[in-house]
Each structure stands twice: as structure tokens, then as C-alpha cells.
Amino acid sequence: QNNVFFMLAEISGEVFADANGDGVENGRERGLAGITVELLDESGQVIDTTTTNREGRYRFRSMTETGDYQVRIVLADGQTATSATTVDVLVSAGDDSIRRVDFGIEADGRDRDRRDRDGRRERDRRNVDLVFASDETLDPVLDEFDRSTRRRR
């Protein structure tokens, strides 16, 4: 009789644009299509490669035995991960379905939401120089503004 053990295990997850950079997928963060994801065996050899679909999802069903595996994303030039780029996975049974092996990549775009230490939302606008002025610098400007607005009344 041939092998009666069927390996039906699968590993799946999503690669998403991490708008707030916290490494965790939140409600409005979208999946990224076309990201390369690799499956490595316990010796670190790539045994399968796939790309994410249009929703950013991927799946591996190519494990031939139980054991330790790793899932790794391949970042393109200019991309920055907000989560680990490699995740260890244990397939302990032939019918394991290991889900939510997700990866965050810094969201592309000029504006990104960030949270300050108190959890308040702040905007990070790239390519904008911030200028800080002292009270002494602003006083004459504010005085002139006050005088001009009083004259209009």
C-alpha cells in the first residue's frame, strides 16, 4: 500500500500597507498585490515562492511533512517593513491550517497617520519643513495682525 498519510496543511496570510506603521493590520489598511512571499524549510532553503493576489493574500500548500518552516517577504527597493520580514511557523499535523501570518509594509504616499505617545493622531507630511518661531519673533507679527483686524471692524 502506498503512503496513506495526506499532507493537507496550509499557511496563509496577508501583506498590507501599514498606514500608521504599527506592524498590525487595522481596519482601513489595504492588502498589497504582487509582493513576493517565500516558504523556507527548517534548514533555511526556499522550497516555494508565491506572490500576493490583488487583496494582498497568499497561501502555501506545498509542505511535504510536518516540522518547522519560515515564511518570508521579499521587499522591493525602497520598501520598509513595519513587522518582522520572517515568521517561524510550526506545522505539527498534516491538516494544520495556519492563518494570519501577516506582514506590514510602510504605506506609500505623502501623508501617513502616526500616533504620538498619548495615542493622539498626528499627521506626518513628508517633504515639508517645519519652522519653529519663538514668542519674540511672533509678537511683532501678531501685533500687526491684531492692528489690521481691528481697523477693518
Side-chain angles (χ1 to χ4, degrees):
Q1 178 176 1
N2 291 335
N3 186 359
V4 294
F5 181 73
F6 294 97
M7 190 64 167
L8 303 173
E10 72 175 34
I11 300 169
S12 62
E14 183 174 349
V15 181
F16 61 94
D18 194 355
N20 63 2
D22 67 354
V24 178
E25 185 176 12
N26 301 309
R28 294 186 176 180
E29 294 171 331
R30 61 178 167 59
L32 293 172
I35 304 296
T36 301
V37 185
E38 298 175 327
L39 178 66
L40 293 78
D41 64 15
E42 63 185 26
S43 66
Q45 297 298 310
V46 176
I47 59 171
D48 199 0
T49 301
T50 190
T51 56
T52 56
N53 67 14
R54 67 178 180 225
E55 289 92 27
R57 296 188 184 114
Y58 71 90
R59 177 180 9 215
F60 290 109
R61 293 182 176 159
S62 51
M63 288 77 61
T64 57
E65 59 187 3
T66 59
D68 294 315
Y69 293 88
Q70 291 183 319
V71 179
R72 175 173 69 193
I73 57 170
V74 178
L75 297 173
D77 288 341
Q79 288 182 326
T80 303
T82 60
S83 63
T85 57
T86 304
V87 175
D88 295 328
V89 178
L90 172 62
V91 176
S92 59
D95 62 349
D96 277 353
S97 181
I98 301 163
R99 298 184 180 131
R100 304 298 306 171
V101 182
D102 298 339
F103 300 93
I105 295 178
E106 187 174 88
D108 202 18
R110 298 177 71 86
D111 294 337
R112 291 184 299 146
D113 289 334
R114 292 210 182 259
R115 302 234 177 238
D116 66 14
R117 290 181 189 200
D118 298 322
R120 292 182 304 235
R121 185 175 295 237
E122 60 185 35
R123 298 295 276 177
D124 173 15
R125 296 192 183 274
R126 296 185 181 184
N127 301 323
V128 175
D129 294 324
L130 297 178
V131 178
F132 295 96
S134 66
D135 288 343
E136 295 85 31
T137 307
L138 288 176
D139 283 343
V141 174
L142 294 174
D143 288 343
E144 179 59 32
F145 176 77
D146 285 343
R147 281 193 296 275
S148 67
T149 55
R150 279 191 217 127
R151 278 187 238 146
R152 292 183 196 170
R153 290 180 186 174

Short mmCIF file of all heavy atoms in Angstrom, two decimals, residues 4-58:
data_model
loop_
_atom_site.label_atom_id
_atom_site.label_comp_id
_atom_site.label_asym_id
_atom_site.label_seq_id
_atom_site.Cartn_x
_atom_site.Cartn_y
_atom_site.Cartn_z
N VAL A 4 -0.48 6.38 3.08
CA VAL A 4 -1.87 6.73 3.36
C VAL A 4 -1.98 8.08 4.07
O VAL A 4 -3.08 8.54 4.36
CB VAL A 4 -2.56 5.65 4.22
CG1 VAL A 4 -2.67 4.35 3.43
CG2 VAL A 4 -1.85 5.46 5.53
N PHE A 5 -0.87 8.70 4.34
CA PHE A 5 -0.86 10.00 5.01
C PHE A 5 -0.94 11.09 3.95
O PHE A 5 -0.11 11.16 3.05
CB PHE A 5 0.41 10.15 5.84
CG PHE A 5 0.49 11.45 6.57
CD1 PHE A 5 -0.29 11.70 7.68
CD2 PHE A 5 1.35 12.45 6.14
CE1 PHE A 5 -0.23 12.90 8.35
CE2 PHE A 5 1.43 13.66 6.80
CZ PHE A 5 0.63 13.89 7.92
N PHE A 6 -1.94 11.94 4.04
CA PHE A 6 -2.10 13.05 3.12
C PHE A 6 -1.70 14.34 3.82
O PHE A 6 -2.20 14.63 4.91
CB PHE A 6 -3.54 13.17 2.63
CG PHE A 6 -3.98 12.02 1.80
CD1 PHE A 6 -4.70 10.97 2.36
CD2 PHE A 6 -3.66 11.98 0.45
CE1 PHE A 6 -5.09 9.90 1.58
CE2 PHE A 6 -4.06 10.91 -0.33
CZ PHE A 6 -4.78 9.87 0.23
N MET A 7 -0.82 15.09 3.20
CA MET A 7 -0.39 16.38 3.76
C MET A 7 -1.30 17.45 3.20
O MET A 7 -1.21 17.82 2.02
CB MET A 7 1.06 16.64 3.39
CG MET A 7 1.66 17.80 4.11
SD MET A 7 1.71 17.47 5.89
CE MET A 7 2.75 18.76 6.41
N LEU A 8 -2.22 17.93 4.03
CA LEU A 8 -3.19 18.95 3.63
C LEU A 8 -2.95 20.28 4.32
O LEU A 8 -3.78 21.19 4.22
CB LEU A 8 -4.61 18.46 3.94
CG LEU A 8 -5.00 17.13 3.30
CD1 LEU A 8 -6.37 16.67 3.81
CD2 LEU A 8 -4.99 17.25 1.79
N ALA A 9 -1.83 20.39 5.00
CA ALA A 9 -1.54 21.62 5.76
C ALA A 9 -1.41 22.82 4.84
O ALA A 9 -1.01 22.69 3.67
CB ALA A 9 -0.26 21.44 6.57
N GLU A 10 -1.77 23.98 5.38
CA GLU A 10 -1.59 25.22 4.63
C GLU A 10 -1.20 26.35 5.57
O GLU A 10 -1.55 26.35 6.75
CB GLU A 10 -2.83 25.59 3.83
CG GLU A 10 -3.99 26.08 4.64
CD GLU A 10 -5.15 26.54 3.75
OE1 GLU A 10 -5.37 25.94 2.68
OE2 GLU A 10 -5.82 27.49 4.14
N ILE A 11 -0.46 27.28 5.02
CA ILE A 11 -0.06 28.50 5.73
C ILE A 11 -0.55 29.66 4.87
O ILE A 11 -0.31 29.68 3.66
CB ILE A 11 1.47 28.58 5.90
CG1 ILE A 11 1.99 27.39 6.70
CG2 ILE A 11 1.86 29.90 6.58
CD1 ILE A 11 3.52 27.26 6.70
N SER A 12 -1.23 30.62 5.50
CA SER A 12 -1.75 31.74 4.72
C SER A 12 -1.67 33.03 5.52
O SER A 12 -1.53 33.02 6.74
CB SER A 12 -3.20 31.48 4.30
OG SER A 12 -4.03 31.35 5.45
N GLY A 13 -1.76 34.13 4.80
CA GLY A 13 -1.72 35.43 5.46
C GLY A 13 -1.91 36.54 4.46
O GLY A 13 -2.35 36.32 3.33
N GLU A 14 -1.53 37.73 4.88
CA GLU A 14 -1.71 38.91 4.05
C GLU A 14 -0.52 39.84 4.22
O GLU A 14 0.06 39.94 5.31
CB GLU A 14 -2.99 39.64 4.46
CG GLU A 14 -3.31 40.84 3.60
CD GLU A 14 -4.67 41.44 3.93
OE1 GLU A 14 -5.46 40.82 4.67
OE2 GLU A 14 -4.93 42.55 3.46
N VAL A 15 -0.16 40.52 3.15
CA VAL A 15 0.82 41.59 3.19
C VAL A 15 0.03 42.88 2.98
O VAL A 15 -0.72 42.99 2.01
CB VAL A 15 1.90 41.42 2.11
CG1 VAL A 15 2.92 42.56 2.20
CG2 VAL A 15 2.60 40.07 2.25
N PHE A 16 0.17 43.82 3.91
CA PHE A 16 -0.68 45.01 3.87
C PHE A 16 0.14 46.30 3.95
O PHE A 16 1.25 46.31 4.43
CB PHE A 16 -1.70 44.98 5.01
CG PHE A 16 -1.09 44.96 6.38
CD1 PHE A 16 -0.89 46.14 7.09
CD2 PHE A 16 -0.68 43.77 6.96
CE1 PHE A 16 -0.31 46.12 8.36
CE2 PHE A 16 -0.10 43.74 8.22
CZ PHE A 16 0.09 44.93 8.92
N ALA A 17 -0.46 47.36 3.43
CA ALA A 17 0.13 48.70 3.50
C ALA A 17 -0.16 49.25 4.89
O ALA A 17 -1.30 49.54 5.22
CB ALA A 17 -0.46 49.60 2.42
N ASP A 18 0.85 49.36 5.70
CA ASP A 18 0.71 49.74 7.10
C ASP A 18 0.73 51.27 7.23
O ASP A 18 1.77 51.89 7.38
CB ASP A 18 1.84 49.11 7.91
CG ASP A 18 1.59 49.16 9.40
OD1 ASP A 18 0.59 49.77 9.82
OD2 ASP A 18 2.40 48.59 10.14
N ALA A 19 -0.46 51.86 7.18
CA ALA A 19 -0.58 53.32 7.15
C ALA A 19 -0.06 53.99 8.41
O ALA A 19 0.49 55.09 8.35
CB ALA A 19 -2.04 53.72 6.91
N ASN A 20 -0.24 53.36 9.56
CA ASN A 20 0.21 54.01 10.80
C ASN A 20 1.53 53.44 11.32
O ASN A 20 2.01 53.86 12.35
CB ASN A 20 -0.88 53.94 11.88
CG ASN A 20 -1.21 52.52 12.29
OD1 ASN A 20 -0.61 51.57 11.82
ND2 ASN A 20 -2.17 52.40 13.18
N GLY A 21 2.11 52.49 10.60
CA GLY A 21 3.43 51.99 10.94
C GLY A 21 3.54 51.17 12.21
O GLY A 21 4.63 50.97 12.73
N ASP A 22 2.40 50.63 12.70
CA ASP A 22 2.44 49.88 13.96
C ASP A 22 2.68 48.38 13.79
O ASP A 22 2.76 47.65 14.76
CB ASP A 22 1.17 50.13 14.77
CG ASP A 22 -0.09 49.55 14.14
OD1 ASP A 22 -0.02 49.03 13.00
OD2 ASP A 22 -1.15 49.63 14.79
N GLY A 23 2.76 47.91 12.53
CA GLY A 23 3.02 46.50 12.29
C GLY A 23 1.82 45.59 12.44
O GLY A 23 1.92 44.38 12.28
N VAL A 24 0.65 46.18 12.72
CA VAL A 24 -0.58 45.42 12.90
C VAL A 24 -1.61 45.92 11.90
O VAL A 24 -1.80 47.13 11.75
CB VAL A 24 -1.13 45.59 14.34
CG1 VAL A 24 -2.44 44.85 14.52
CG2 VAL A 24 -0.10 45.14 15.35
N GLU A 25 -2.29 45.00 11.22
CA GLU A 25 -3.29 45.43 10.24
C GLU A 25 -4.51 45.98 10.96
O GLU A 25 -5.09 45.33 11.83
CB GLU A 25 -3.68 44.26 9.35
CG GLU A 25 -4.61 44.68 8.25
CD GLU A 25 -4.94 43.55 7.30
OE1 GLU A 25 -4.63 42.39 7.60
OE2 GLU A 25 -5.51 43.85 6.24
N ASN A 26 -4.89 47.18 10.57
CA ASN A 26 -6.06 47.85 11.13
C ASN A 26 -7.14 47.94 10.06
O ASN A 26 -6.88 47.70 8.89
CB ASN A 26 -5.67 49.24 11.64
CG ASN A 26 -4.59 49.16 12.69
OD1 ASN A 26 -4.71 48.42 13.65
ND2 ASN A 26 -3.51 49.88 12.49
N GLY A 27 -8.32 48.32 10.45
CA GLY A 27 -9.50 48.29 9.58
C GLY A 27 -9.36 48.89 8.21
O GLY A 27 -9.86 48.34 7.24
N ARG A 28 -8.69 50.01 8.06
CA ARG A 28 -8.64 50.69 6.77
C ARG A 28 -7.38 50.40 5.97
O ARG A 28 -7.22 50.92 4.88
CB ARG A 28 -8.77 52.19 6.96
CG ARG A 28 -10.13 52.57 7.48
CD ARG A 28 -10.28 54.04 7.53
NE ARG A 28 -11.63 54.38 7.96
CZ ARG A 28 -12.06 55.59 8.09
NH1 ARG A 28 -11.28 56.60 7.83
NH2 ARG A 28 -13.29 55.82 8.48
N GLU A 29 -6.49 49.60 6.48
CA GLU A 29 -5.25 49.30 5.77
C GLU A 29 -5.52 48.22 4.73
O GLU A 29 -6.15 47.21 5.02
CB GLU A 29 -4.17 48.90 6.77
CG GLU A 29 -3.81 50.08 7.65
CD GLU A 29 -2.90 49.74 8.81
OE1 GLU A 29 -2.93 48.60 9.29
OE2 GLU A 29 -2.17 50.64 9.23
N ARG A 30 -5.04 48.45 3.53
CA ARG A 30 -5.35 47.57 2.41
C ARG A 30 -4.21 46.60 2.13
O ARG A 30 -3.05 46.88 2.40
CB ARG A 30 -5.66 48.40 1.17
CG ARG A 30 -4.50 49.27 0.74
CD ARG A 30 -4.81 50.06 -0.52
NE ARG A 30 -3.87 51.10 -0.80
CZ ARG A 30 -2.56 50.99 -1.00
NH1 ARG A 30 -2.01 49.81 -0.91
NH2 ARG A 30 -1.79 52.01 -1.28
N GLY A 31 -4.57 45.46 1.54
CA GLY A 31 -3.58 44.48 1.14
C GLY A 31 -2.80 44.97 -0.07
O GLY A 31 -3.29 45.77 -0.86
N LEU A 32 -1.58 44.46 -0.21
CA LEU A 32 -0.71 44.85 -1.32
C LEU A 32 -0.56 43.69 -2.29
O LEU A 32 -0.15 42.59 -1.91
CB LEU A 32 0.68 45.24 -0.79
CG LEU A 32 0.73 46.50 0.06
CD1 LEU A 32 2.12 46.66 0.68
CD2 LEU A 32 0.38 47.72 -0.78
N ALA A 33 -0.88 43.93 -3.54
CA ALA A 33 -0.76 42.91 -4.58
C ALA A 33 0.67 42.83 -5.09
O ALA A 33 1.41 43.82 -5.08
CB ALA A 33 -1.71 43.24 -5.73
N GLY A 34 1.06 41.63 -5.53
CA GLY A 34 2.33 41.46 -6.22
C GLY A 34 3.57 41.41 -5.34
O GLY A 34 4.68 41.50 -5.84
N ILE A 35 3.40 41.22 -4.05
CA ILE A 35 4.55 41.10 -3.14
C ILE A 35 5.01 39.64 -3.13
O ILE A 35 4.20 38.72 -2.98
CB ILE A 35 4.19 41.56 -1.71
CG1 ILE A 35 3.64 42.99 -1.72
CG2 ILE A 35 5.38 41.41 -0.78
CD1 ILE A 35 4.61 44.05 -2.16
N THR A 36 6.30 39.42 -3.25
CA THR A 36 6.85 38.06 -3.24
C THR A 36 6.95 37.54 -1.81
O THR A 36 7.45 38.24 -0.92
CB THR A 36 8.25 38.04 -3.89
OG1 THR A 36 8.12 38.52 -5.24
CG2 THR A 36 8.85 36.66 -3.89
N VAL A 37 6.45 36.33 -1.61
CA VAL A 37 6.48 35.66 -0.31
C VAL A 37 7.14 34.30 -0.52
O VAL A 37 6.81 33.59 -1.47
CB VAL A 37 5.06 35.49 0.27
CG1 VAL A 37 5.12 34.91 1.68
CG2 VAL A 37 4.30 36.81 0.27
N GLU A 38 8.05 33.95 0.39
CA GLU A 38 8.79 32.69 0.27
C GLU A 38 8.50 31.78 1.45
O GLU A 38 8.31 32.25 2.57
CB GLU A 38 10.30 32.96 0.24
CG GLU A 38 10.73 33.80 -0.94
CD GLU A 38 12.19 34.17 -0.91
OE1 GLU A 38 12.75 34.35 0.21
OE2 GLU A 38 12.79 34.28 -1.99
N LEU A 39 8.50 30.48 1.19
CA LEU A 39 8.39 29.45 2.23
C LEU A 39 9.74 28.77 2.33
O LEU A 39 10.29 28.31 1.32
CB LEU A 39 7.31 28.43 1.86
CG LEU A 39 7.12 27.29 2.85
CD1 LEU A 39 6.59 27.80 4.19
CD2 LEU A 39 6.16 26.24 2.27
N LEU A 40 10.29 28.73 3.54
CA LEU A 40 11.60 28.12 3.78
C LEU A 40 11.44 26.90 4.66
O LEU A 40 10.60 26.88 5.57
CB LEU A 40 12.53 29.12 4.46
CG LEU A 40 12.96 30.34 3.65
CD1 LEU A 40 11.88 31.39 3.58
CD2 LEU A 40 14.21 30.94 4.24
N ASP A 41 12.27 25.90 4.43
CA ASP A 41 12.26 24.72 5.29
C ASP A 41 13.12 24.98 6.53
O ASP A 41 13.67 26.07 6.69
CB ASP A 41 12.71 23.46 4.53
CG ASP A 41 14.15 23.53 4.04
OD1 ASP A 41 14.93 24.39 4.51
OD2 ASP A 41 14.51 22.69 3.19
N GLU A 42 13.26 23.98 7.37
CA GLU A 42 13.98 24.19 8.64
C GLU A 42 15.46 24.47 8.47
O GLU A 42 16.11 24.99 9.36
CB GLU A 42 13.75 23.03 9.60
CG GLU A 42 14.28 21.71 9.11
CD GLU A 42 13.91 20.57 10.05
OE1 GLU A 42 12.90 20.66 10.76
OE2 GLU A 42 14.67 19.59 10.05
N SER A 43 16.01 24.16 7.30
CA SER A 43 17.43 24.47 7.06
C SER A 43 17.61 25.84 6.40
O SER A 43 18.73 26.24 6.10
CB SER A 43 18.07 23.39 6.19
OG SER A 43 17.51 23.39 4.90
N GLY A 44 16.49 26.56 6.17
CA GLY A 44 16.57 27.89 5.60
C GLY A 44 16.56 27.93 4.09
O GLY A 44 16.75 28.99 3.49
N GLN A 45 16.29 26.80 3.45
CA GLN A 45 16.23 26.74 1.99
C GLN A 45 14.82 27.12 1.51
O GLN A 45 13.82 26.66 2.08
CB GLN A 45 16.57 25.33 1.50
CG GLN A 45 17.97 24.89 1.84
CD GLN A 45 19.02 25.78 1.19
OE1 GLN A 45 18.98 26.06 0.00
NE2 GLN A 45 19.95 26.25 2.00
N VAL A 46 14.76 27.93 0.47
CA VAL A 46 13.47 28.30 -0.11
C VAL A 46 12.90 27.07 -0.82
O VAL A 46 13.53 26.49 -1.69
CB VAL A 46 13.62 29.47 -1.10
CG1 VAL A 46 12.28 29.77 -1.78
CG2 VAL A 46 14.16 30.71 -0.40
N ILE A 47 11.69 26.66 -0.41
CA ILE A 47 11.06 25.50 -1.03
C ILE A 47 9.85 25.88 -1.87
O ILE A 47 9.36 25.07 -2.65
CB ILE A 47 10.68 24.42 0.02
CG1 ILE A 47 9.72 24.99 1.07
CG2 ILE A 47 11.93 23.85 0.66
CD1 ILE A 47 9.15 23.94 2.01
N ASP A 48 9.36 27.11 -1.71
CA ASP A 48 8.25 27.56 -2.53
C ASP A 48 8.23 29.09 -2.51
O ASP A 48 8.66 29.71 -1.54
CB ASP A 48 6.92 27.01 -2.01
CG ASP A 48 5.80 27.05 -3.04
OD1 ASP A 48 6.04 27.51 -4.18
OD2 ASP A 48 4.67 26.64 -2.70
N THR A 49 7.73 29.65 -3.59
CA THR A 49 7.60 31.10 -3.71
C THR A 49 6.26 31.41 -4.35
O THR A 49 5.80 30.69 -5.24
CB THR A 49 8.73 31.67 -4.61
OG1 THR A 49 9.99 31.34 -4.04
CG2 THR A 49 8.63 33.19 -4.73
N THR A 50 5.62 32.47 -3.87
CA THR A 50 4.37 32.93 -4.45
C THR A 50 4.34 34.44 -4.42
O THR A 50 5.22 35.07 -3.83
CB THR A 50 3.15 32.32 -3.71
OG1 THR A 50 1.96 32.59 -4.46
CG2 THR A 50 3.02 32.86 -2.31
N THR A 51 3.33 35.03 -5.04
CA THR A 51 3.11 36.47 -4.92
C THR A 51 1.69 36.69 -4.40
O THR A 51 0.80 35.85 -4.61
CB THR A 51 3.28 37.20 -6.27
OG1 THR A 51 2.42 36.62 -7.23
CG2 THR A 51 4.71 37.14 -6.75
N THR A 52 1.51 37.81 -3.73
CA THR A 52 0.21 38.11 -3.17
C THR A 52 -0.79 38.45 -4.28
O THR A 52 -0.43 39.01 -5.31
CB THR A 52 0.30 39.29 -2.18
OG1 THR A 52 0.88 40.41 -2.84
CG2 THR A 52 1.13 38.92 -0.96
N ASN A 53 -2.05 38.09 -4.04
CA ASN A 53 -3.10 38.39 -5.01
C ASN A 53 -3.53 39.85 -4.86
O ASN A 53 -2.92 40.62 -4.11
CB ASN A 53 -4.28 37.42 -4.85
CG ASN A 53 -5.03 37.58 -3.54
OD1 ASN A 53 -4.88 38.56 -2.80
ND2 ASN A 53 -5.85 36.60 -3.22
N ARG A 54 -4.57 40.25 -5.55
CA ARG A 54 -4.97 41.67 -5.54
C ARG A 54 -5.44 42.16 -4.18
O ARG A 54 -5.45 43.35 -3.93
CB ARG A 54 -6.01 41.94 -6.61
CG ARG A 54 -7.33 41.28 -6.37
CD ARG A 54 -8.33 41.64 -7.45
NE ARG A 54 -9.59 40.98 -7.17
CZ ARG A 54 -10.30 40.35 -8.06
NH1 ARG A 54 -9.90 40.32 -9.30
NH2 ARG A 54 -11.41 39.77 -7.72
N GLU A 55 -5.81 41.26 -3.29
CA GLU A 55 -6.18 41.65 -1.92
C GLU A 55 -5.00 41.58 -0.97
O GLU A 55 -5.15 41.79 0.24
CB GLU A 55 -7.31 40.77 -1.39
CG GLU A 55 -8.65 41.03 -2.02
CD GLU A 55 -8.87 40.12 -3.23
OE1 GLU A 55 -8.29 39.02 -3.27
OE2 GLU A 55 -9.62 40.52 -4.13
N GLY A 56 -3.82 41.21 -1.48
CA GLY A 56 -2.63 41.10 -0.64
C GLY A 56 -2.48 39.76 0.05
O GLY A 56 -1.61 39.57 0.88
N ARG A 57 -3.32 38.80 -0.32
CA ARG A 57 -3.30 37.49 0.36
C ARG A 57 -2.40 36.50 -0.38
O ARG A 57 -2.21 36.57 -1.59
CB ARG A 57 -4.71 36.93 0.43
CG ARG A 57 -5.60 37.79 1.29
CD ARG A 57 -6.95 37.13 1.52
NE ARG A 57 -7.79 38.04 2.28
CZ ARG A 57 -8.90 38.60 1.80
NH1 ARG A 57 -9.31 38.31 0.59
NH2 ARG A 57 -9.59 39.42 2.55
N TYR A 58 -1.89 35.55 0.40
CA TYR A 58 -1.06 34.47 -0.16
C TYR A 58 -1.39 33.18 0.59
O TYR A 58 -1.99 33.21 1.67
CB TYR A 58 0.44 34.80 -0.03
CG TYR A 58 0.92 34.72 1.39
CD1 TYR A 58 1.41 33.51 1.90
CD2 TYR A 58 0.84 35.81 2.25
CE1 TYR A 58 1.80 33.41 3.21
CE2 TYR A 58 1.24 35.72 3.56
CZ TYR A 58 1.72 34.51 4.05
OH TYR A 58 2.10 34.41 5.35
#
